[in-house]
Amino acid sequence: MTFVPVIPESYTHVLAEFESLDPLLSALRLDSSRLKCTSLAVSPKWLALGTSGGGLNLIQKEGWKHRLFLSHREGSISQVACCSHDDDYVAVATSQGLVVVWKLNQERRGKPERIYVSSEHKGRKVTALCWDTAVLRVFVSDHMGKVSAIKLNTSKQAKAAATFVMFPIQTITTVDSSVVQLDYLDGRLLISSLTRSFLCDTEREKFWKIGNKERDGEYGACFFPGRCSAGQQPLIYCARPGSRMWEVNFDGEVISTHQFKKLLSSPPLPVITLRSEPQYDHTVGSSQSLSFPKLLHLSEHCVLTWTERGIYIFIPQNVQVLLWSEVKDIQEVAVCKNELFCLHLNGKISHLSLLSVERCVERLLRRGLWNLAARTCCLFQNSIIASRGRKSLTVDKLEHLKSQLDLTTYNDLISQLEDLILKFEPLDSACSSRRSSISSHESFSILDCGIYRIISSRRGSQSDEDSSSLHSQTLSEDERLKEFMSHQEEDQPDQCSSSHGNEDNVSHGPVTFETDKNETFLPFGIPLSFRSPSPLVSLQAVKESVSSFVRKTTEKIGTLHTSPDLKVRPEPLGDEQLCEEDVSLVTCPNEEDTEEKKEVTSQPPEDKLQELTIATAEAMTKLQDPLVLFEPKSLRIVLQEWLPQLEKTFAMEDFSVISDSGNSSMTLNGDALLIEESKNEIVDENDEKEERDSLGIEGTVDQMTRDSVNSLKEPLNDLFRVCSPCNIANGLWKDLAELTTLCLELTVLNSEIESTSGHVDHTLQHCSPEILACQFLKKYFFLLDLNRAKESVKLSYTNSPCVWDTFIEGLKEMASSSPTCIEMEEGDLPARLKLLDDSVSFDSPLLIAYATQLYEKFGESALRSLIKFYPSILPSDVMQLCHHHPAEFLAYLDSLVKSRPEDQWPSFLESLLQPESLRLDWLLLAVSHDAPPSTSIMDDEGCPRPHSHLLSWGYGQLILHLIKLPADFTTKEKMTDICRSHGFWPGYLTLCLELERRREAFTNIVHLNDMSLMEGDNGWIPETVEEWKLLLHLVQNKSTKPASQKSPNGNFSDGPSPVNVENVALLLAKVMGPDRAWSLLQECGLTLELSERFTRTCDILRIAEKRQRALIQSMLEKCDRFLWSQQA
């Protein structure tokens, strides 16, 4: 048996798990992968568990008895809140954003009833629910920052008219970002968002911002109630970055900042549990810089929080860490007094208690857990020896504990227990007298949770050890403040002792600081995904590899020589790279003084430019003819005749240059291709001479063709022409831009001119259209209308991402030397977004290049932030941007649609569907991502599984909006097939209704086994006798087949009413009347399968029908008498 380590004396409390809730979850069938717990809440009486199937289980904590099950068809349960001052009320938020308030009616043993359903936050994610502590009022917040209040009607007179009178929902406020946590106390509502905390006086409708410094991320805040007997005002604690908390008074003023970073360097305390033996490692770790996502008031003097690593409990008024323990994968924690209920990411629930060590050992002894009790005593022996609670944990109890252990198995443990017993001092010894002397100036009280509250008469005194440990801590905010692009601040450690400072100065008492009013804040409330900057090592490696390959090949082949008047132009540096960002007229700076820069630019001969001018004028003249302009075939012929002249004019510019031996590092990446083809070209030159001799003047046409072909063969891998190689007149440039853009739009990317021999050069026909488009973009990028080119690339090369990537690379090359691009390399996401917003025009085509740069750096968070640039950046742009990760595009699209008011979602989504073909693409994406597993949706035959239409889809709302938009018949049929093949049954049934495919709809409703689909205003009720016969026949055939698997939500009894003969017969009787229903059932031979319930229902319907007829007759007679009296 191994030796049990000893924990230092300073730890007096521990988290203990005395019982496992796994059997309870198993009994509730919440231990499967298809149905699990998604939220929880606790009150003195109830433990409330929300499920992914939309159910709410209410378990009575006394004896863990399952008392109630409340079902919700509005989606899975995302939030639950129990009323703290009245156990008869509970509030629930669903995944669809609906908030339902239930009255349980436990006092009169009635049936639970929904007393309020709020759709104020429908379509949004409800992030927090919070009850008023005095009246029946619920506060609700969502991810868009909206906070509302639901006031319930509690007067006796109003209860009688509860179905007719409901208080309107009150909108409290809308903050700048998603709400993280809500808390309420004594008329004050505390709101913690992603950026800051707010305090609201709900009675006087006043609002305060807490502190001046913003934060970025999920940080919680909670009230800390004061002691009424001592006249203490409540306090507020707000989480800050770097393991810190603000202490705030009840008026919203920051008193001090408490730093826990270094205090958390201590090793974690073990959780006392039956699942494993407690272990303790004495190794002191590094200080923990944590962000506390939520803060909860626990017991009387403690504040609890948690991270993905563990649970942390603080005594903030004393700046102490009571304990922290490793508890992995916590999703949510609910507390009640000293009890903790932890919901884990896998749906499991653990029940922990915060106890003093002595009380923990006592409970273990009462339960007969001898081994665990002995280990706990040995672990915390310093705390037990020094504690004042030894009246409860006496030597006799320890002796009894030792006697229960097996000597052969627990020999070392027994030895440690004996040492502990020897160290125990009698209560009337010197130790007791020493403690009595201490109590002369100190008194203490033992709280319910076991915490000792020391009341000192020495006001203002403080432990030197605590003081020195706190003063030795440095602020961790320095690194966070580096996010600001200007007005950087640095908090120095020595400021802690000064009389003035900002709010983040570490303090040890209620000292008020003056705030710095010159702070600069980020105006964004976006969760940042900090990542390291992308390295350039791979790009440099590629460059070196290609240069080495070209250099070696050049050494092997010496037959290729460059012309002495053609030299490569070095890459411009610094200001030489700058070109105008106004892409409507892109020209390079004047290069007359090139002698100092040692570069030679070969201008096209004047006659070639003149020929291009003439050819361009002829082409533009032909375009004035409507028969040419509006006929694509004729337009292509004109462009095909003009393009060779363009290729001839600019063929040798920047693409045919080869560096000399002295500039090997400047060799273009594609020179290897020229070298490989050099021998063939030399042979071709000999053939060309003979042809020119035989063909005479006509050979010039073939030469022009070969020039254009050779220009396409030249290297284009990494070189763009983003600037004009020569000065072009403004009028000519506009005509060139129009014709070049038309070539790209009509895919006229290379010239095919027939020679005099009737032969057409097919050299380039082996190149794919994508490669030709990429080459065309690189060669003539400086001539393109970039906005039209972007739309052309999206429409013509949707399935060729390489063309889009090439276009974006050209934009990056154009923007690479601008000051904005250089500044965009630094800073976090909000800083870069602000820079982009301030310095780049929204109609600039370079905006998409900067957006690509942000996406490559920050991923999905950058995509979501692009919503603010709509309509400059369209969803089709973002779809091309993240074509490798379509799920990220769905997240962007969903956020973009939900950024508009809910009533505008359909019309806004319809406006985004340009072109119309995007509808099917987006629908296919939405049903393919974040969807339930196919095995839970369809059986082996492809039929729907029972209740599978109730499963949660990640983009279910988006899918339904896409389906309900108007479209032609063919598109609707394709959408129906997509929904059918992927098992999205709500959409499939909706489309069947629109397409009048009612037989298919009824067949699938029977398989889904949910009568609610045929009830209500939107239900599918058969309209003819033939449809009723079909439905009865389907139900009858289903009843003869073996029982199918369970529904996704558990047993059929837990879900909606099943589709069986009796339920369909009851619906038939309500619609057609009992007599006609009975005759139809007799005709189908189903009367024998009906129970007495059907007979009683028919009798009631007959009575109601007679009374209704009598009432109508009576009203008609009264009207008749009234009319006759008026006539008389």
Side-chain angles (χ1 to χ4, degrees), residues 639-839:
L639 296 174
Q640 196 77 42
E641 294 173 351
W642 169 81
L643 185 58
Q645 188 61 53
L646 179 70
E647 294 175 342
K648 177 182 177 182
T649 304
F650 295 105
M652 302 301 294
E653 289 301 314
D654 294 338
F655 291 92
S656 61
V657 292
I658 302 174
S659 64
D660 54 14
S661 59
N663 293 323
S664 61
S665 62
M666 300 298 296
T667 304
L668 298 178
N669 290 355
D671 284 348
L673 297 177
L674 288 177
I675 296 171
E676 293 290 339
E677 297 172 1
S678 60
K679 293 183 179 179
N680 294 332
E681 291 176 355
I682 293 172
V683 175
D684 292 340
E685 289 177 359
N686 297 330
D687 296 337
E688 290 170 9
K689 292 180 181 179
E690 295 178 0
E691 290 178 5
R692 281 197 296 270
D693 294 336
S694 60
L695 298 178
I697 300 175
E698 296 176 358
T700 57
V701 179
D702 290 336
Q703 179 62 35
M704 184 168 59
T705 306
R706 275 187 289 274
D707 289 341
S708 63
V709 171
N710 290 334
S711 67
L712 284 175
K713 292 179 182 178
E714 288 164 356
L716 299 166
N717 290 341
D718 296 318
L719 186 60
F720 281 88
R721 278 183 176 172
V722 295
C723 296
S724 175
C726 60
N727 293 326
I728 303 176
N730 189 24
L732 176 60
W733 188 91
K734 289 183 179 180
D735 292 341
L736 291 175
E738 176 67 26
L739 293 174
T740 308
T741 306
L742 278 174
C743 286
L744 180 64
E745 292 173 340
L746 297 176
T747 64
V748 181
L749 305 177
N750 66 299
S751 57
E752 296 179 0
I753 299 181
E754 188 175 327
S755 63
T756 55
S757 61
H759 172 70
V760 177
D761 193 344
H762 297 281
T763 306
L764 294 173
Q765 293 186 1
H766 297 289
C767 297
S768 63
E770 295 82 8
I771 296 177
L772 292 176
C774 294
Q775 293 176 342
F776 189 88
L777 286 171
K778 291 181 178 181
K779 289 172 59 178
Y780 306 115
F781 200 83
F782 68 98
L783 290 175
L784 292 172
D785 182 336
L786 296 181
N787 286 320
R788 287 173 56 188
K790 182 181 73 171
E791 297 302 319
S792 175
V793 169
K794 288 192 297 184
L795 291 175
S796 303
Y797 303 97
T798 305
N799 299 322
S800 303
C802 62
V803 182
W804 172 266
D805 294 339
T806 303
F807 178 74
I808 295 298
E809 287 300 320
L811 292 176
K812 288 182 179 179
E813 184 71 20
M814 178 177 289
S816 60
S817 58
S818 66
T820 302
C821 184
I822 298 173
E823 294 178 14
M824 286 281 288
E825 293 295 332
E826 300 177 356
D828 55 19
L829 181 58
R832 299 189 193 193
L833 287 171
K834 187 176 187 302
L835 176 65
L836 193 60
D837 194 10
D838 295 339
S839 58

Side-chain angles (χ1 to χ4, degrees), residues 125-160:
K125 179 182 179 182
V126 176
T127 56
L129 295 177
C130 178
W131 281 90
D132 193 315
T133 54
V135 298
L136 292 177
R137 181 168 55 170
V138 186
F139 299 97
V140 188
S141 65
D142 60 35
H143 76 289
M144 301 295 289
K146 186 175 183 179
V147 181
S148 65
I150 302 173
K151 188 175 181 181
L152 306 180
N153 204 345
T154 57
S155 63
K156 293 183 180 179
Q157 294 180 353
K159 286 182 179 179

Side-chain angles (χ1 to χ4, degrees), residues 427-468:
L427 291 177
D428 55 351
S429 64
C431 179
S432 177
S433 62
R434 176 171 56 83
R435 287 176 183 149
S436 63
S437 66
I438 294 175
S439 63
S440 62
H441 53 78
E442 288 184 345
S443 61
F444 67 96
S445 61
I446 303 177
L447 307 178
D448 294 336
C449 65
I451 298 176
Y452 296 92
R453 182 175 179 274
I454 307 299
I455 305 172
S456 177
S457 60
R458 298 178 294 184
R459 302 295 180 186
S461 63
Q462 187 176 0
S463 170
D464 294 336
E465 181 181 351
D466 291 344
S467 178
S468 62

Side-chain angles (χ1 to χ4, degrees), residues 13 110 126 233 241 247 275 279 545 692 698 710 814 825-826 927 962 1025 1036 1072 1101 1116:
H13 287 73
V126 176
Q233 277 282 341
E247 184 174 309
R275 302 176 189 268
Q279 302 292 333
S545 175
R692 281 197 296 270
E698 296 176 358
N710 290 334
M814 178 177 289
E825 293 295 332
E826 300 177 356
V927 298
L962 285 170
V1025 176
Q1036 187 179 18
M1072 301 182 63
L1101 289 174
L1116 290 174

Side-chain angles (χ1 to χ4, degrees), residues 312-329:
Y312 305 82
I313 301 177
F314 306 101
I315 305 179
Q317 289 181 303
N318 297 340
V319 196
Q320 292 180 357
V321 178
L322 182 66
L323 64 87
W324 81 274
S325 299
E326 286 189 345
V327 183
K328 300 291 187 181
D329 300 329

Side-chain angles (χ1 to χ4, degrees), residues 347-366:
K348 300 293 184 182
I349 298 175
S350 54
H351 175 208
L352 306 177
S353 300
L354 175 64
L355 298 170
S356 64
V357 176
E358 295 81 9
R359 295 197 178 188
C360 177
V361 174
E362 280 189 84
R363 287 199 183 183
L364 293 174
L365 292 176
R366 284 200 298 267

Side-chain angles (χ1 to χ4, degrees), residues 20-39:
S20 173
L21 296 183
D22 290 346
L24 175 65
L25 296 180
S26 179
L28 297 175
R29 296 183 179 88
L30 295 179
D31 55 350
S32 64
S33 59
R34 298 173 62 184
L35 189 66
K36 66 177 184 178
C37 184
T38 55
S39 58

